[in-house]
Amino acid sequence: KQEVTQIPAALSVPEGENLVLNCSFTDSAIYNLQWFRQDPGKGLTSLLLIQSSQREQTSGRLNASLDKSSGRSTLYIAASQPGDSATYLCAVEEDDKLIFGTGTRLQVFP
Amino acid sequence: DTAVSQTPKYLVTQMGNDKSIKCEQNLGHDTMYWYKQDSKKFLKIMFSYNNKELIINETVPNRFSPKSPDKAHLNLHINSLELGDSAVYFCASSPGRVGALEQFFGPGTRLTVL
């Protein structure tokens, strides 16, 4: 049974720092991995999708990597800003569904 | 031009009642989903429909009945509501099934059962 874990569970950093959020999964037979952000009381916004054949994807200050064989993905946020404060969720797709991680709650203070 | 919309946004009701949540997507996607986010913020798949056909029923109690009148709509009806049903329910859609297909989420419906 697939299990997705994210560490750290919470992170509080000053503005400007570069950050790494970690996601690990137990079964490497995935179709893709997706990173989302969730703002308090809001829905999920898709940030990056990495297909199983890809190693990384970039969008602006965000870079996500995928190492399927070791069951790991990292989300790198460069030059963090207070507007990046949110919960970040990773999810792996297998068998027509997304299996979500436990989330990392990020706070970036000025 | 909301991509995935849900109504209502908030729903407060008594135990034992029956309620429905509606979801619509205007992205032209073939596949729609319902997810449940519990009090610990853990998100889990409930149902998946592809072109109005049920694909996934993730051992959800049969008090929950999804209905897809067309591929742009996936509604969730809940009978005999229980306290444990209190959660945020998210609808999502993707272009199709299986593999490298980004999912887009609605804003969620916060259900509170008293």
Side-chain angles (χ1 to χ4, degrees):
Chain A
K1 181 188 168 189
Q2 179 76 266
E3 290 185 7
V4 183
T5 307
Q6 292 183 246
I7 52 172
L11 188 58
S12 183
V13 299
E15 184 175 9
E17 279 205 6
N18 300 324
L19 309 170
V20 175
L21 307 183
N22 296 292
C23 172
S24 61
F25 46 96
T26 54
D27 186 345
S28 61
I30 63 171
Y31 289 106
N32 62 56
L33 185 143
Q34 200 166 349
W35 281 94
F36 296 88
R37 71 174 276 168
Q38 184 176 24
D39 294 281
K42 300 284 177 67
L44 279 69
T45 302
S46 178
L47 298 173
L48 290 163
L49 171 75
I50 312 177
Q51 299 180 27
S52 61
S53 58
Q54 295 176 322
R55 299 281 296 182
E56 66 176 337
Q57 282 285 343
T58 298
S59 175
R61 293 182 295 108
L62 305 179
N63 175 277
S65 66
L66 174 64
D67 184 343
K68 245 183 70 165
S69 59
S70 67
R72 290 181 186 173
S73 176
T74 58
L75 179 67
Y76 178 81
I77 304 176
S80 59
Q81 303 170 357
D84 295 330
S85 298
T87 296
Y88 290 80
L89 296 162
C90 71
V92 298
E93 184 187 344
E94 60 170 37
D95 299 333
D96 289 313
K97 63 190 177 190
L98 286 179
I99 299 173
F100 280 85
T102 43
T104 293
R105 193 171 64 253
L106 172 66
Q107 183 179 10
V108 181
F109 53 90
Chain B
D1 56 345
T2 306
V4 183
S5 59
Q6 295 178 227
T7 54
K9 190 173 169 113
Y10 300 97
L11 189 50
V12 181
T13 188
Q14 299 284 338
M15 259 174 47
N17 284 350
D18 302 339
K19 290 294 177 186
S20 291
I21 307 172
K22 295 186 175 181
C23 178
E24 176 181 2
Q25 53 94 4
N26 62 7
L27 297 167
H29 287 170
D30 286 341
T31 309
M32 295 184 72
Y33 311 82
W34 278 109
Y35 289 86
K36 178 181 180 180
Q37 188 171 43
D38 61 24
S39 57
K40 295 183 180 176
K41 306 298 183 187
F42 188 63
L43 259 168
K44 191 174 177 187
I45 182 80
M46 298 174 68
F47 298 103
S48 163
Y49 269 73
N50 182 257
N51 270 319
K52 304 193 298 175
E53 179 186 347
L54 180 66
I55 303 300
I56 292 173
N57 179 341
E58 197 72 3
T59 60
V60 178
N62 58 15
R63 296 183 296 104
F64 290 78
S65 52
K67 286 197 169 44
S68 182
D70 55 62
K71 72 174 193 177
H73 296 84
L74 180 61
N75 303 323
L76 184 64
H77 188 76
I78 315 171
N79 289 327
S80 303
L81 278 155
E82 300 178 357
L83 293 176
D85 297 333
S86 295
V88 182
Y89 292 84
F90 287 99
C91 177
S93 73
S94 67
R97 297 174 60 185
V98 183
L101 297 173
E102 195 173 0
Q103 289 194 22
F104 295 85
F105 281 72
T109 295
R110 182 174 295 276
L111 171 64
T112 303
V113 183
L114 305 174

